[in-house]
Amino acid sequence: MTDHLFERAAIIGPGLIGSSLSRALRKAGVVKSLVAYDKNPATSARAKEIGVVDEAATDFAGAVSKADLIVIAAPVGAIGEIASAVNDHAQSGALIIDVGSVKGAVAEAAAQLREDISFVPCHPVAGTEQSGPDAGFAELFDDRWCIITPLDRPDEAYKTAINKAKTLWERIGAHVEFMDPAHHDLALAVTSHLPHLIAFTLVGAADDVESVAQAEVVKYSAGGFRDFTRIAASDPIMWRDVFLKNREAVLEVLGRFSEELAVMQRAIRWGDGEALEKAFTRGRSLRRAIVDAGQETAEPNFGRDKDGQ
Ligand code: NAP
């Protein structure tokens, strides 16, 4: 395909999401060439070795200054610092996007940048519990949503940049939705951050029940526990940063969850079957809505697919 949107993309942090995006951008012909930079040079070297990018840069300025697309794919806690370094080295007219799971903090950092470059904050709502360049794959964003939280900048150049970012995600199979950063952070606290917190906590709690041996937890994990361990296997650094940067929204949602949990506790204590049944019926209908929206398949998965996912 010849209709490249960009000549040269710099991928900062070619881990799971960065390397998936590199693969997808290349496959869809969105960029002509790709360079990776990572704070750990072995990671960018690995990305080049497995053919995810054309070049591995050891020098940040060198990677960024010749790129017309800069993708910040590092953990959310590092995005502010990287954005400020991008500000020092990016060429005029460059489009900068990130893929961070929290948007309020990113929007604040993006608003500090020069006006001749455009930072359009993005969050592809797609991922796995794996990390690193080897874990990525080009199809990760197929039929998934990417939320864009644009800055409030009235200039034409920024509007063009937003459209370019939208086209980029659509060319690799994603659907795009625009949102205010605060709303994004609250919505994702419900759909992603709280579930991860619960999974991390549940797995920790199971470890603490001394009368149940770890061997039993492993042996009988298909009773529900196993599905939580997949989420709890997610990258600790990435998730540390999500909770540090989305503190208020997570605390708000956690408060509501704690109240619901207390209601369940009471229903169990008092043998209130009707209340339990009502709550569980709500769970089933939400699951059905997710399947109907094409965000999951209805097939039961007993952990027996070939890759064990
Ligand atoms: P990952 O596989 O660990 O990749 C992140 C990469 O960024 C790593 O190679 C890391 O290097 C590098 N890095 C860290 N600090 C850096 C810095 N200051 N400069 C340059 N590179 C740096 O993590 P990921 O899952 O792809 O997550 C990346 C971003 O995507 C995060 O912002 C996350 O919130 C977002 N996201 C993740 C998911 C998901 O499901 N995983 C989904 C959507 C969005 P080292 O490993 O050497 O530290």
Side-chain angles (χ1 to χ4, degrees), residues 185-263:
D185 289 354
L186 186 61
L188 269 292
V190 174
T191 61
S192 171
H193 308 170
L194 182 67
H196 277 81
L197 192 67
I198 292 169
F200 290 129
T201 312
L202 183 79
V203 171
D207 228 14
D208 289 345
V209 182
E210 281 148 16
S211 55
V212 179
Q214 205 192 45
E216 287 178 294
V217 173
V218 171
K219 194 165 152 192
Y220 307 126
S221 64
F225 186 74
R226 189 201 58 192
D227 293 347
F228 283 91
T229 60
R230 186 190 65 73
I231 299 178
S234 299
D235 190 69
I237 304 290
M238 172 197 152
W239 284 99
R240 177 202 65 192
D241 285 6
V242 166
F243 291 111
L244 292 179
K245 294 290 180 185
N246 199 20
R247 187 166 162 260
E248 275 165 36
V250 169
L251 289 176
E252 160 70 23
V253 173
L254 192 56
R256 285 170 190 245
F257 175 75
S258 306
E259 283 171 23
E260 291 286 332
L261 201 58
V263 170

Coordinates of all heavy atoms in Angstrom, one line a residue, residues 185-263:
D185 N -11.5 8.7 32.6 CA -10.9 8.2 33.8 C -11.9 7.5 34.8 O -11.6 6.5 35.4 CB -10.1 9.2 34.6 CG -8.8 9.6 33.8 OD1 -8.6 8.9 32.7 OD2 -8.1 10.5 34.2
L186 N -13.1 8.1 34.8 CA -14.2 7.5 35.6 C -14.7 6.2 35.0 O -14.9 5.2 35.6 CB -15.3 8.5 35.8 CG -16.4 8.1 36.8 CD1 -15.8 7.8 38.2 CD2 -17.5 9.1 36.9
A187 N -15.0 6.3 33.7 CA -15.5 5.1 33.0 C -14.5 3.9 33.0 O -14.9 2.8 33.3 CB -15.8 5.5 31.5
L188 N -13.2 4.2 32.9 CA -12.2 3.2 32.9 C -12.0 2.7 34.3 O -11.6 1.5 34.5 CB -11.0 3.6 32.2 CG -10.9 3.3 30.7 CD1 -10.8 1.8 30.4 CD2 -12.1 3.8 29.9
A189 N -12.2 3.5 35.3 CA -12.1 3.1 36.7 C -13.1 2.0 36.9 O -12.8 1.0 37.6 CB -12.3 4.2 37.6
V190 N -14.3 2.1 36.3 CA -15.3 1.1 36.4 C -15.0 -0.2 35.6 O -15.1 -1.3 36.2 CB -16.7 1.6 35.9 CG1 -17.8 0.5 35.9 CG2 -17.2 2.8 36.8
T191 N -14.6 0.0 34.4 CA -14.5 -1.2 33.5 C -13.2 -1.9 33.5 O -13.1 -3.0 33.1 CB -14.8 -0.8 32.0 OG1 -13.8 0.2 31.6 CG2 -16.2 -0.2 31.8
S192 N -12.2 -1.2 34.0 CA -10.8 -1.8 33.9 C -10.1 -1.7 35.3 O -9.5 -2.7 35.8 CB -10.0 -1.1 32.8 OG -8.7 -1.5 32.9
H193 N -10.0 -0.5 35.9 CA -9.1 -0.3 37.0 C -9.7 -1.1 38.2 O -8.9 -1.8 38.9 CB -8.9 1.2 37.3 CG -8.5 1.9 36.1 ND1 -8.4 3.3 36.0 CD2 -8.1 1.5 34.8 CE1 -7.9 3.6 34.8 NE2 -7.8 2.6 34.1
L194 N -11.0 -1.0 38.5 CA -11.5 -1.7 39.7 C -11.4 -3.2 39.5 O -11.0 -3.9 40.4 CB -13.0 -1.2 39.9 CG -13.6 -1.9 41.1 CD1 -13.0 -1.5 42.4 CD2 -15.1 -1.7 41.2
P195 N -11.8 -3.7 38.3 CA -11.6 -5.2 38.1 C -10.2 -5.7 38.4 O -10.0 -6.7 39.0 CB -12.0 -5.4 36.7 CG -12.9 -4.3 36.3 CD -12.5 -3.1 37.2
H196 N -9.2 -4.9 37.9 CA -7.8 -5.2 38.2 C -7.5 -5.2 39.7 O -6.9 -6.1 40.2 CB -6.9 -4.4 37.4 CG -6.7 -4.8 36.0 ND1 -7.6 -4.6 35.0 CD2 -5.7 -5.6 35.4 CE1 -7.2 -5.1 33.9 NE2 -6.0 -5.8 34.1
L197 N -8.0 -4.2 40.4 CA -7.8 -4.0 41.8 C -8.4 -5.2 42.6 O -7.7 -5.8 43.5 CB -8.4 -2.7 42.3 CG -7.9 -2.3 43.7 CD1 -6.5 -2.0 43.8 CD2 -8.7 -1.1 44.2
I198 N -9.6 -5.6 42.1 CA -10.2 -6.8 42.8 C -9.4 -8.0 42.5 O -9.2 -8.8 43.5 CB -11.7 -6.9 42.3 CG1 -12.5 -5.7 42.8 CG2 -12.3 -8.2 42.7 CD1 -13.9 -5.6 42.1
A199 N -9.0 -8.2 41.3 CA -8.2 -9.4 41.0 C -6.9 -9.5 41.8 O -6.6 -10.5 42.4 CB -7.9 -9.5 39.5
F200 N -6.2 -8.4 41.8 CA -4.9 -8.3 42.6 C -5.2 -8.7 44.1 O -4.5 -9.4 44.7 CB -4.3 -6.9 42.5 CG -3.7 -6.6 41.2 CD1 -4.0 -5.4 40.5 CD2 -2.8 -7.5 40.5 CE1 -3.4 -5.1 39.3 CE2 -2.2 -7.2 39.3 CZ -2.5 -5.9 38.7
T201 N -6.3 -8.1 44.6 CA -6.7 -8.3 46.0 C -7.1 -9.7 46.3 O -6.7 -10.3 47.3 CB -7.8 -7.3 46.4 OG1 -7.4 -6.0 46.0 CG2 -8.0 -7.2 47.9
L202 N -7.9 -10.2 45.4 CA -8.4 -11.6 45.6 C -7.3 -12.6 45.6 O -7.3 -13.5 46.4 CB -9.4 -11.9 44.5 CG -10.1 -13.3 44.6 CD1 -11.2 -13.2 45.6 CD2 -10.6 -13.7 43.3
V203 N -6.4 -12.4 44.7 CA -5.3 -13.4 44.6 C -4.4 -13.3 45.8 O -4.0 -14.3 46.4 CB -4.5 -13.2 43.3 CG1 -3.2 -14.0 43.2 CG2 -5.3 -13.5 42.1
G204 N -4.2 -12.1 46.3 CA -3.5 -11.9 47.6 C -4.2 -12.5 48.7 O -3.6 -13.2 49.6
A205 N -5.5 -12.3 48.8 CA -6.3 -12.9 49.9 C -6.3 -14.4 49.9 O -6.1 -15.0 51.0 CB -7.8 -12.4 49.8
A206 N -6.3 -15.0 48.7 CA -6.3 -16.5 48.6 C -4.9 -17.0 49.2 O -4.9 -18.0 49.8 CB -6.5 -16.9 47.2
D207 N -3.9 -16.2 48.9 CA -2.6 -16.6 49.4 C -2.5 -16.6 50.9 O -1.7 -17.3 51.5 CB -1.6 -15.5 48.8 CG -0.4 -16.2 48.2 OD1 -0.4 -17.4 48.0 OD2 0.6 -15.5 47.9
D208 N -3.3 -15.7 51.5 CA -3.3 -15.5 53.0 C -4.1 -16.5 53.8 O -4.0 -16.5 55.0 CB -3.8 -14.1 53.3 CG -2.8 -13.0 52.8 OD1 -1.7 -13.4 52.6 OD2 -3.2 -11.8 52.8
V209 N -5.0 -17.2 53.1 CA -5.8 -18.2 53.8 C -5.0 -19.4 54.1 O -4.8 -20.3 53.3 CB -7.1 -18.6 53.1 CG1 -8.0 -19.6 53.9 CG2 -7.9 -17.4 52.7
E210 N -4.4 -19.4 55.3 CA -3.4 -20.4 55.6 C -3.9 -21.9 55.6 O -3.1 -22.8 55.3 CB -2.7 -20.1 56.9 CG -1.7 -19.0 56.7 CD -1.5 -18.1 58.0 OE1 -2.0 -18.6 59.0 OE2 -1.0 -17.0 57.9
S211 N -5.2 -22.1 56.0 CA -5.7 -23.4 56.1 C -6.0 -24.1 54.7 O -6.2 -25.3 54.6 CB -6.9 -23.5 56.9 OG -7.9 -22.6 56.4
V212 N -5.9 -23.2 53.6 CA -6.1 -23.8 52.3 C -4.7 -23.8 51.6 O -4.1 -22.7 51.4 CB -7.1 -23.0 51.4 CG1 -7.2 -23.6 50.0 CG2 -8.4 -23.0 52.1
A213 N -4.2 -25.0 51.3 CA -2.8 -25.0 50.8 C -2.8 -24.5 49.4 O -3.8 -24.5 48.6 CB -2.4 -26.5 50.7
Q214 N -1.6 -23.9 49.0 CA -1.5 -23.3 47.6 C -1.7 -24.4 46.6 O -2.3 -24.1 45.5 CB -0.1 -22.8 47.5 CG -0.1 -21.7 46.4 CD 1.3 -21.3 46.0 OE1 2.2 -22.1 45.7 NE2 1.5 -20.0 45.8
A215 N -1.4 -25.7 46.9 CA -1.6 -26.8 45.9 C -3.1 -26.9 45.6 O -3.5 -27.2 44.5 CB -1.1 -28.1 46.5
E216 N -3.9 -26.7 46.7 CA -5.4 -26.8 46.5 C -5.9 -25.6 45.6 O -6.8 -25.8 44.8 CB -6.1 -26.8 47.8 CG -5.9 -28.1 48.6 CD -6.6 -28.0 49.9 OE1 -6.2 -27.2 50.8 OE2 -7.6 -28.7 50.1
V217 N -5.4 -24.4 45.9 CA -5.8 -23.3 45.1 C -5.5 -23.5 43.7 O -6.3 -23.2 42.8 CB -5.0 -22.0 45.6 CG1 -5.3 -20.8 44.7 CG2 -5.4 -21.7 47.1
V218 N -4.4 -24.1 43.4 CA -4.0 -24.3 42.0 C -4.9 -25.4 41.4 O -5.5 -25.3 40.3 CB -2.5 -24.7 41.9 CG1 -2.1 -25.2 40.5 CG2 -1.6 -23.5 42.3
K219 N -5.0 -26.5 42.2 CA -5.8 -27.7 41.7 C -7.2 -27.3 41.4 O -7.8 -27.8 40.3 CB -5.7 -28.7 42.8 CG -6.1 -30.1 42.4 CD -5.6 -31.1 43.5 CE -6.5 -32.3 43.6 NZ -6.1 -33.0 44.8
Y220 N -7.9 -26.5 42.2 CA -9.3 -26.3 42.0 C -9.6 -24.9 41.4 O -10.7 -24.4 41.5 CB -10.0 -26.4 43.3 CG -9.8 -27.7 44.0 CD1 -9.3 -27.8 45.3 CD2 -10.0 -28.9 43.3 CE1 -9.0 -29.0 45.9 CE2 -9.7 -30.2 43.9 CZ -9.2 -30.2 45.2 OH -9.0 -31.4 45.8
S221 N -8.6 -24.3 40.8 CA -8.7 -22.9 40.3 C -9.7 -22.7 39.2 O -10.3 -21.6 39.1 CB -7.3 -22.4 39.8 OG -7.0 -23.2 38.7
A222 N -10.1 -23.8 38.5 CA -11.1 -23.6 37.5 C -12.5 -23.3 38.0 O -13.4 -22.9 37.3 CB -11.2 -24.9 36.6
G223 N -12.6 -23.3 39.4 CA -13.9 -22.9 40.0 C -14.2 -21.4 40.0 O -15.1 -20.9 40.5
G224 N -13.3 -20.6 39.3 CA -13.5 -19.2 39.2 C -12.2 -18.4 39.4 O -11.9 -17.4 38.8
F225 N -11.4 -18.9 40.4 CA -10.2 -18.2 40.8 C -9.2 -18.0 39.6 O -8.6 -17.0 39.4 CB -9.5 -19.1 41.8 CG -8.3 -18.5 42.4 CD1 -8.4 -17.4 43.3 CD2 -7.0 -18.9 42.1 CE1 -7.3 -16.8 43.9 CE2 -5.9 -18.4 42.7 CZ -6.0 -17.3 43.6
R226 N -9.2 -19.0 38.7 CA -8.2 -19.0 37.6 C -8.5 -17.8 36.7 O -7.5 -17.1 36.2 CB -8.4 -20.3 36.8 CG -7.4 -20.5 35.7 CD -7.9 -21.4 34.6 NE -9.1 -20.9 34.0 CZ -9.9 -21.6 33.3 NH1 -9.7 -22.9 33.0 NH2 -11.0 -21.1 32.7
D227 N -9.7 -17.4 36.5 CA -10.0 -16.3 35.6 C -9.5 -15.0 36.2 O -9.2 -14.0 35.5 CB -11.6 -16.2 35.4 CG -12.0 -17.4 34.5 OD1 -11.2 -18.1 34.0 OD2 -13.2 -17.6 34.4
F228 N -9.5 -14.9 37.6 CA -9.0 -13.7 38.2 C -7.4 -13.7 38.1 O -6.8 -12.6 38.1 CB -9.4 -13.7 39.7 CG -10.8 -13.2 39.9 CD1 -11.8 -14.2 39.9 CD2 -11.1 -11.9 40.0 CE1 -13.1 -13.8 40.1 CE2 -12.4 -11.5 40.2 CZ -13.4 -12.4 40.3
T229 N -6.8 -14.9 38.2 CA -5.3 -14.9 38.1 C -4.8 -14.4 36.8 O -3.7 -13.8 36.7 CB -4.8 -16.3 38.4 OG1 -5.2 -17.2 37.4 CG2 -5.1 -16.8 39.7
R230 N -5.6 -14.5 35.7 CA -5.1 -14.0 34.4 C -5.0 -12.5 34.5 O -4.0 -11.9 34.2 CB -6.1 -14.4 33.3 CG -5.6 -13.9 31.9 CD -6.6 -14.1 30.8 NE -7.8 -13.2 31.0 CZ -7.7 -11.8 30.8 NH1 -6.6 -11.3 30.4 NH2 -8.8 -11.1 31.0
I231 N -6.0 -11.8 35.1 CA -6.0 -10.4 35.2 C -4.9 -10.0 36.2 O -4.1 -9.0 36.0 CB -7.3 -9.8 35.7 CG1 -8.4 -10.2 34.6 CG2 -7.3 -8.3 35.9 CD1 -9.8 -9.7 35.0
A232 N -4.8 -10.8 37.3 CA -3.8 -10.4 38.4 C -2.3 -10.6 37.9 O -1.4 -10.2 38.6 CB -4.1 -11.2 39.6
A233 N -2.2 -11.3 36.7 CA -0.8 -11.5 36.2 C -0.3 -10.3 35.4 O 0.8 -10.3 34.9 CB -0.8 -12.7 35.3
S234 N -1.1 -9.2 35.4 CA -0.7 -8.0 34.6 C 0.5 -7.3 35.2 O 0.8 -7.5 36.4 CB -1.9 -7.1 34.5 OG -3.0 -7.7 33.9
D235 N 1.1 -6.5 34.3 CA 2.3 -5.8 34.7 C 2.2 -5.0 36.0 O 1.4 -4.0 36.0 CB 2.8 -5.0 33.5 CG 4.2 -4.5 33.8 OD1 5.2 -5.3 33.7 OD2 4.4 -3.3 34.0
P236 N 3.0 -5.2 37.0 CA 2.9 -4.5 38.3 C 3.2 -3.0 38.1 O 2.6 -2.1 38.8 CB 3.9 -5.1 39.2 CG 4.4 -6.4 38.5 CD 4.0 -6.3 37.1
I237 N 4.2 -2.7 37.3 CA 4.6 -1.2 37.1 C 3.5 -0.5 36.4 O 3.1 0.6 36.9 CB 5.9 -1.1 36.3 CG1 7.0 -1.9 36.9 CG2 6.3 0.4 36.1 CD1 7.6 -1.4 38.2
M238 N 3.0 -1.0 35.3 CA 1.9 -0.4 34.6 C 0.7 -0.1 35.6 O 0.2 1.0 35.6 CB 1.4 -1.3 33.5 CG 0.2 -0.7 32.8 SD -0.7 -1.9 31.8 CE -2.4 -1.2 31.9
W239 N 0.4 -1.1 36.4 CA -0.8 -0.9 37.2 C -0.6 -0.1 38.4 O -1.4 0.7 38.9 CB -1.4 -2.3 37.6 CG -2.1 -2.8 36.4 CD1 -1.7 -3.7 35.5 CD2 -3.4 -2.3 36.0 NE1 -2.6 -3.8 34.5 CE2 -3.7 -3.0 34.7 CE3 -4.3 -1.4 36.4 CZ2 -4.9 -2.8 34.0 CZ3 -5.5 -1.2 35.7 CH2 -5.8 -1.9 34.5
R240 N 0.7 -0.1 38.9 CA 1.0 0.9 40.0 C 0.8 2.3 39.5 O 0.1 3.1 40.2 CB 2.5 0.7 40.4 CG 3.0 1.7 41.4 CD 4.5 1.8 41.3 NE 5.0 2.5 40.1 CZ 6.2 2.5 39.6 NH1 7.2 2.0 40.3 NH2 6.5 3.1 38.5
D241 N 1.2 2.6 38.3 CA 1.1 3.9 37.8 C -0.4 4.3 37.5 O -0.8 5.4 37.7 CB 1.8 4.1 36.4 CG 3.3 4.2 36.7 OD1 3.8 4.1 37.8 OD2 4.1 4.4 35.7
V242 N -1.2 3.3 37.1 CA -2.6 3.6 36.8 C -3.3 4.0 38.1 O -4.0 5.0 38.2 CB -3.3 2.3 36.2 CG1 -4.9 2.5 36.3 CG2 -2.9 2.1 34.8
F243 N -3.0 3.3 39.2 CA -3.7 3.7 40.5 C -3.1 5.0 41.1 O -3.9 5.7 41.7 CB -3.6 2.5 41.5 CG -4.5 1.4 41.0 CD1 -3.9 0.2 40.6 CD2 -5.9 1.5 40.9 CE1 -4.7 -0.9 40.1 CE2 -6.7 0.5 40.5 CZ -6.1 -0.7 40.1
L244 N -1.9 5.3 40.8 CA -1.3 6.5 41.3 C -1.9 7.7 40.5 O -2.1 8.8 41.1 CB 0.2 6.5 41.3 CG 0.9 5.5 42.2 CD1 2.4 5.6 42.0 CD2 0.6 5.8 43.7
K245 N -2.1 7.5 39.3 CA -2.5 8.6 38.4 C -4.0 8.7 38.3 O -4.5 9.7 37.8 CB -1.9 8.5 37.0 CG -0.4 8.6 36.9 CD 0.0 10.0 37.2 CE 1.5 10.2 37.2 NZ 2.0 11.5 37.5
N246 N -4.8 7.7 38.7 CA -6.3 7.8 38.6 C -6.9 7.7 40.0 O -7.9 7.0 40.1 CB -6.8 6.8 37.6 CG -8.2 7.2 37.2 OD1 -8.6 8.3 37.3 ND2 -9.0 6.2 36.7
R247 N -6.2 8.3 40.9 CA -6.6 8.1 42.3 C -8.0 8.4 42.6 O -8.7 7.6 43.2 CB -5.6 9.0 43.1 CG -5.6 8.9 44.5 CD -4.4 9.7 45.1 NE -4.6 10.0 46.5 CZ -5.0 11.1 47.0 NH1 -5.2 12.1 46.1 NH2 -5.1 11.3 48.2
E248 N -8.5 9.6 42.2 CA -9.8 10.1 42.7 C -10.9 9.2 42.1 O -11.8 8.8 42.8 CB -10.0 11.5 42.3 CG -9.4 12.4 43.4 CD -9.3 13.8 43.0 OE1 -10.1 14.3 42.2 OE2 -8.3 14.5 43.4
A249 N -10.8 8.9 40.8 CA -11.9 8.1 40.1 C -11.9 6.7 40.7 O -13.0 6.2 41.0 CB -11.7 8.1 38.6
V250 N -10.8 6.2 41.0 CA -10.7 4.8 41.5 C -11.3 4.8 42.9 O -12.1 3.9 43.3 CB -9.3 4.2 41.5 CG1 -9.2 2.9 42.3 CG2 -8.8 4.0 40.1
L251 N -11.0 5.8 43.7 CA -11.5 5.8 45.1 C -13.0 6.0 45.1 O -13.7 5.4 45.9 CB -10.8 6.9 45.9 CG -9.4 6.7 46.3 CD1 -8.8 7.9 47.0 CD2 -9.2 5.4 47.1
E252 N -13.5 6.8 44.1 CA -15.0 7.0 44.0 C -15.7 5.6 43.7 O -16.6 5.2 44.4 CB -15.2 8.0 42.9 CG -16.6 8.0 42.3 CD -17.7 8.6 43.2 OE1 -17.3 9.3 44.1 OE2 -18.9 8.2 43.0
V253 N -15.1 4.9 42.7 CA -15.7 3.7 42.3 C -15.6 2.6 43.3 O -16.5 1.8 43.6 CB -15.1 3.2 40.9 CG1 -15.6 1.9 40.5 CG2 -15.5 4.2 39.8
L254 N -14.4 2.6 44.0 CA -14.1 1.6 45.1 C -15.1 1.8 46.2 O -15.6 0.8 46.8 CB -12.7 1.8 45.6 CG -12.1 0.8 46.4 CD1 -12.2 -0.6 45.8 CD2 -10.6 1.1 46.8
G255 N -15.5 3.1 46.5 CA -16.5 3.4 47.6 C -17.8 2.7 47.2 O -18.4 2.1 48.1
R256 N -18.2 2.9 46.0 CA -19.5 2.3 45.6 C -19.4 0.7 45.7 O -20.4 0.1 46.1 CB -19.9 2.7 44.2 CG -20.3 4.1 44.2 CD -20.4 4.6 42.8 NE -20.7 6.0 42.7 CZ -21.8 6.6 42.3 NH1 -22.8 5.9 41.8 NH2 -21.9 7.9 42.3
F257 N -18.3 0.2 45.2 CA -18.1 -1.2 45.2 C -18.2 -1.8 46.7 O -18.9 -2.8 46.9 CB -16.8 -1.6 44.6 CG -16.5 -3.1 44.7 CD1 -17.1 -4.0 43.9 CD2 -15.6 -3.6 45.6 CE1 -16.8 -5.4 44.0 CE2 -15.3 -4.9 45.7 CZ -15.9 -5.8 44.9
S258 N -17.5 -1.1 47.6 CA -17.6 -1.5 49.0 C -19.0 -1.5 49.5 O -19.4 -2.4 50.3 CB -16.7 -0.6 49.9 OG -15.4 -0.5 49.3
E259 N -19.8 -0.5 49.1 CA -21.2 -0.5 49.6 C -22.0 -1.7 49.1 O -22.7 -2.3 49.8 CB -21.9 0.8 49.1 CG -21.5 2.0 49.9 CD -22.0 3.3 49.3 OE1 -23.0 3.3 48.5 OE2 -21.4 4.4 49.5
E260 N -21.8 -2.0 47.8 CA -22.4 -3.1 47.2 C -22.0 -4.4 47.8 O -22.8 -5.4 48.1 CB -22.1 -3.2 45.7 CG -22.7 -2.1 44.8 CD -24.2 -2.3 44.6 OE1 -24.7 -3.4 44.6 OE2 -24.9 -1.2 44.4
L261 N -20.7 -4.5 48.2 CA -20.2 -5.7 48.8 C -20.9 -5.9 50.2 O -21.2 -7.0 50.6 CB -18.7 -5.6 48.9 CG -17.9 -6.9 49.1 CD1 -18.1 -7.8 47.9 CD2 -16.4 -6.5 49.2
A262 N -21.0 -4.8 50.9 CA -21.7 -4.8 52.2 C -23.1 -5.3 52.1 O -23.6 -6.1 52.9 CB -21.6 -3.5 52.9
V263 N -23.8 -4.9 51.0 CA -25.2 -5.4 50.7 C -25.2 -6.9 50.5 O -26.0 -7.6 51.1 CB -25.8 -4.6 49.5 CG1 -27.1 -5.2 49.1 CG2 -25.9 -3.2 49.8

